[in-house]
Amino acid sequence: MEFPPCPPTLKSIQHFLKLAQEHDSRDVVIAYWARLYALQVGLKASTQSAEETKLLLAIMDWLEQMKKQHADNEALTNDIAAQAHIENYALKLFLYADKQDREENFGKNVVKAYYSSGVLYDILLTFGELSEEALHNRKYAKYKAAYIHNCLKNGETPIPGPFPDDESSELAGDNLAGGSNDGASNVTPTEDGAAEFKSENVEPVTPSTPPAPQVTPPTAEEVLQNPSKLPSPPVDEEKPGGFEPYVPTEQPNAAIYTPIVPVAGVQITAEQMITAQKYCKYAGSSLNYDDVKSAVEYLQKALKLLSTGSE
């Protein structure tokens, strides 16, 4: 389907529409929810001009067509399935970009993966507030995309991995707003740390200290078309000051876990049932990345909720 051009007044939804277009033939679920979120944002930002109305109506028509054509796809018809699909996709891109970043494999593929991951976390707002982990990944991905993009544009070698904790916001902020002094900035920051790219023509920069020979990593294009090409998440080695994986503030100790005895006559509400399903989904997602500790925590939360009717 051909969509009308996006008017300048709806510039805020362009990156969602672009992501959707890139996934039309790759992943209809991502394309569907990217356009749905673009529609939601667009309706709020619209000044009701003829150009805006034409585009928004076209998006509505497309969404209806997709929902009819893919009525058997739960990730289009069920919010829980959709949220799990998008979360897993965003996390895979994030882990891929983080691994390549720390291995100093800088280039536009890493920028693209980081940035796409950040946009996907934006789309997850469709389902409500983001978890602490998602908020962390969203901000980090956008800062990193902007930082590496500006470094490559200015001919500088990016610092691999995260910034020191006490300098992350300052350095990331400098690189989001910086670069303009040399007339080379192609990134515009937004209030939540998002970065908007005006160009993707970025040439990779060879690090001053070449990394050890290794297998050429898959491109972002290959990753998006076939997520199985993603390298395994880095779990064995961490560089000093390296990116620390998200760890919930309260971690259960499986060794001393006391089995929960179901309370007789407990009534589980529909909302609690959905919450329990989410915990089970998060546990499955954690196991995909060998995070047994988090999986145990989520399963215990689900069991407690179903057994006692309370969290």
Side-chain angles (χ1 to χ4, degrees):
M1 178 176 177
E2 291 293 331
F3 290 91
C6 184
T9 50
L10 292 182
K11 186 178 180 180
S12 59
I13 71 173
Q14 283 182 333
H15 45 292
F16 301 116
L17 296 178
K18 182 176 181 181
L19 184 71
Q21 183 180 19
E22 292 172 346
H23 286 79
D24 277 331
S25 60
R26 301 173 186 168
D27 191 323
V28 67
V29 175
I30 298 298
Y32 178 87
W33 290 100
R35 285 200 177 95
L36 179 59
Y37 188 70
L39 177 63
Q40 294 173 343
V41 175
L43 288 173
K44 293 179 181 179
S46 175
T47 60
Q48 300 184 354
S49 68
E51 295 81 5
E52 293 172 347
T53 302
K54 187 177 180 180
L55 173 61
L56 296 177
L57 287 176
I59 295 175
M60 290 181 189
D61 290 341
W62 182 88
L63 291 171
E64 285 299 317
Q65 291 178 20
M66 290 300 103
K67 207 160 188 178
K68 292 177 181 178
Q69 291 179 19
H70 302 276
D72 58 342
N73 189 334
E74 286 192 354
L76 261 67
T77 60
N78 182 284
D79 285 0
I80 294 177
Q83 184 177 5
H85 183 99
I86 299 171
E87 281 181 344
N88 287 336
Y89 199 97
L91 184 58
K92 284 180 179 180
L93 280 179
F94 180 85
L95 292 175
Y96 164 79
D98 179 57
K99 180 176 176 62
Q100 300 308 315
D101 172 20
R102 287 188 290 169
E103 292 180 351
E104 302 183 31
N105 295 323
F106 303 117
K108 65 179 181 180
N109 297 329
V110 174
V111 174
K112 180 72 173 178
Y114 264 137
Y115 185 63
S116 296
S117 176
V119 172
L120 286 167
Y121 280 116
D122 283 337
I123 294 171
L124 283 170
L125 290 169
T126 303
F127 311 103
E129 294 184 3
L130 299 181
S131 66
E132 185 178 348
E133 176 186 9
L135 284 170
H136 170 78
N137 290 351
R138 174 175 174 245
K139 183 175 182 179
Y140 184 88
K142 290 180 178 183
Y143 274 153
K144 264 297 184 174
Y147 169 69
I148 296 175
H149 176 86
N150 280 335
C151 283
L152 298 181
K153 187 65 178 179
N154 296 331
E156 302 171 356
T157 302
I159 299 173
F163 306 107
D165 291 340
D166 58 345
E167 299 179 14
S168 58
S169 297
E170 180 181 352
L171 289 176
D174 288 344
N175 280 279
L176 280 168
S180 56
N181 293 335
D182 298 329
S185 177
N186 281 325
V187 183
T188 302
T190 61
E191 292 182 359
D192 65 352
E196 180 180 327
F197 293 88
K198 301 177 183 177
S199 171
E200 292 185 6
N201 298 321
V202 182
E203 295 297 329
V205 175
T206 303
S208 56
T209 303
Q214 54 188 293
V215 178
T216 302
T219 65
E221 183 81 10
E222 293 173 328
V223 170
L224 290 170
Q225 291 180 343
N226 183 5
S228 64
K229 287 181 176 290
L230 283 165
S232 299
V235 295
D236 295 326
E237 297 183 2
E238 292 287 343
K239 292 184 178 181
F243 175 72
E244 294 295 335
Y246 171 78
V247 179
T249 54
E250 295 183 4
Q251 288 286 354
N253 188 333
I256 60 174
Y257 173 67
T258 302
I260 299 171
V261 179
V263 177
V266 64
Q267 296 294 323
I268 304 299
T269 66
E271 183 177 349
Q272 289 173 326
M273 186 66 72
I274 291 175
T275 300
Q277 290 174 336
K278 286 185 178 181
Y279 285 145
C280 292
K281 175 199 68 179
Y282 295 153
S285 178
S286 298
L287 289 176
N288 286 338
Y289 299 97
D290 299 325
D291 188 356
V292 177
K293 197 171 185 180
S294 293
V296 169
E297 178 191 17
Y298 287 128
L299 289 174
Q300 289 178 354
K301 286 183 176 181
L303 180 58
K304 180 180 179 181
L305 180 58
L306 293 174
S307 300
T308 67
S310 65
E311 298 186 59

